[in-house]
Amino acid sequence: MGRGALGLALCAAVLAVMPAVASASAHGCDPIDPSRCLYPWPNDYFRSHGHLALTADMMPRNASGVGIDPSDYNWSDGFSPGAPIITKVPGLDTPAAMAKTGVVPVTDVARSYDANQPVVVINARTGRRQLIWAELDSNASTAANTALLIHPAKNLREGERYIVALRKLRDANGGLLQPSPAFRDYRDRIWTHDKAIEARRRHMEDIFWRLKRAGIKRKSLYVAWDFTVASAHTLSSRMRNIRDDAFAQLGDTNLRDLKVSGAPPKFTISKVTLFSPCGSDGCKDGENDAIQRRVEGTVQVPCYLDQTGCPAGSRFKLDSRGQPVRTPGNTTDANFICNIPRSVSSSAPGRISLYGHGLFGSASEVNSISQLAIASEHSTVLCATDWIGMSGGDIPNTIGILGDLSRFPTLADRLQQGMINFLYLGRAMLNPKGFASSLAFWDPHGPLIDTSHLYFAGGSQGGIAGGALTAIAPDFTRSVLIVPAMNYSLLLTRSVDFDPFASVLYPAYPDELIHPLLISLIQTLWDRGEPDGYAWHMTDDPYPNTPAHTVLLHMAVGDHQVSNVGTEVEARTIGARLRLPAVDPGRSYEVQPFYGIPPITRYPYHGSALVVWDIGPLRGNLGTPVPPITNTAPRLGVDPHGLTGREVSAQLQFSEFINGSFVNVCGSKPCHAAGWAGP
């Protein structure tokens, strides 16, 4: 995700939080898991008449007793396609119990399909098993506070209903665990005088019937429940509607055909810096051997948030359909920085690419990236803007969100506005009447940029958010995502970057058993601003009025900041193929490495691809181990997160990919990055 100078600011915020355990009201909670309200999650028990039906009484409360506002959640017609499925199973709360039970682990997701697998997720319509893994929350301090987490290893399908079935669960001594009394009433057909329980019985019988058809016996069940995944409309319609409205204001309504029409966005050039080549005694101020010119300014973008200028802390104002309403005339000035390499000229203009920065960073990150071979040797003009919602300017608002998750829509909504900012910057770059018409982008003989094609590249957070941007982009069809992944509810605890955020969030919500619930809950909203909600349409199943896209994923083995398993889930979901050989023997914790990701079998190859880069096993002060198999962050060895993207051969692959084809730059071996510490 990328590191920033966050620790002091975030840790200071802890002092403002008064820890005290808030009790949860039992009103509206599901009795089949009485451990905490909203367990098990996700759960159609909390859905009614086609939408989530969460109430204030159900929602977790912070240390000050303030409950999370459910209103924005209730616009959703279902649950996240990728967030963890969570329940509490007393007795199944230690590694020994997990081993005795035989739960499908992250090291062997193929066991999802074992005939007697005790943890099963099936599609209620088709009866087919879902590829998953299950784990305990390793961040809990006691067994009593340890939840069971079930992760989709490939995203669940939009709009589909799924059934979760746990059966033949055992404790650490091998003893068979018994279900809750409420679930036993349903499983064993024990009739009650409780109207609420009996009103649900018909629905539960449907679950048992569908499980029987899938070969799962009723009497073997410890618990079972169902949930419905949100539709494409819920997940992306806000983003697509504001995109279509924004481009219509430029006079362009047909976004699928890749033809630029209408006017460019209005832009202002505020600064042009010309660099001289470095002297023999090194580079001094005003000198740069890679960059000849830096152009800075702003692009005027329609603002769809509820405050003038779209500042941090603003959010969508919604109409009766749950769609954003723009205040007439409200705009924001999106900053930009463009670097023109010394290798380009008007006779050989540079390719143009957007660039997405790292976690809570800024557009200025492009200045260092433009020193690399992708720009200087491969003649790419990189332009960046702040990824608002999760940029440096959003840190104070993020601190406030961590103390009161009712404010989370301000992050998710501003991320969507940030995507509009990127798309408008891209249109200003691509439209011949945009940047190419400004003398800031000319040499004495003509434009320095080639406006025939636009591309996208992003690293870390830019690689994560760039997946969502790619799915709705009208002006580029090829993206390079460096150390990317998706689904922050999977990534957070597996990243060292979460440490300072957890130091604020956890004291604000001190009940350990609800920590994984909080992270899964907010994913419902986060999906609207990150690729977990867009992944099914990122490549070969484009949204209406949107072209298809092709994506290159670069993963770093043992990444300390962006979890490898999150990259694999993304690759499976978008249909990327794996470049082989992927890793050396011993450089994967998986029984079948990269299970479910089909390999590239022939060249030339023109589709989406996953390439694994490795700096090697830990040897002395070099290399890094494979990541832990728990939901915790890798911390040993060298963090490869920022190293593999700087590899010269990786940048050659990047360059050839945006030209239209995938090139194997590693020959017959796995891809080794600089500093390889292997044999």
Side-chain angles (χ1 to χ4, degrees), residues 32 179-188 204 208 221-224:
I32 68 171
S180 67
F183 184 74
R184 188 184 297 112
D185 287 343
Y186 293 122
R187 187 195 67 179
D188 297 347
M204 294 299 294
F208 296 135
L221 292 170
Y222 172 86
V223 71

Side-chain angles (χ1 to χ4, degrees), residues 505-586:
L505 177 65
Y506 290 169
Y509 293 87
D511 182 354
E512 282 190 331
L513 195 52
I514 71 163
H515 290 169
L517 171 65
L518 295 173
I519 293 172
S520 186
L521 178 69
I522 61 175
Q523 188 65 47
T524 309
L525 306 185
W526 219 334
D527 279 342
R528 301 167 185 167
E530 67 115 311
D532 192 60
Y534 298 79
W536 285 117
H537 307 278
M538 197 187 300
T539 53
D540 57 0
D541 183 19
Y543 292 113
N545 202 28
T546 309
H549 300 86
T550 309
V551 176
L552 173 63
L553 308 172
H554 275 186
M555 184 181 101
V557 174
D559 195 323
H560 290 195
Q561 299 177 58
V562 175
S563 172
N564 289 169
V565 71
T567 311
E568 292 185 39
V569 174
E570 182 171 35
R572 291 188 191 98
T573 306
I574 70 172
R577 287 184 172 266
L578 178 68
R579 182 262 169 201
L580 293 178
V583 291
D584 289 273

Side-chain angles (χ1 to χ4, degrees), residues 28-51:
C29 306
D30 189 344
I32 68 171
D33 182 351
S35 55
R36 294 293 186 275
C37 202
L38 294 188
Y39 274 35
W41 176 271
N43 186 351
D44 272 356
Y45 187 83
F46 307 116
R47 182 174 178 266
S48 179
H49 302 293
H51 285 83

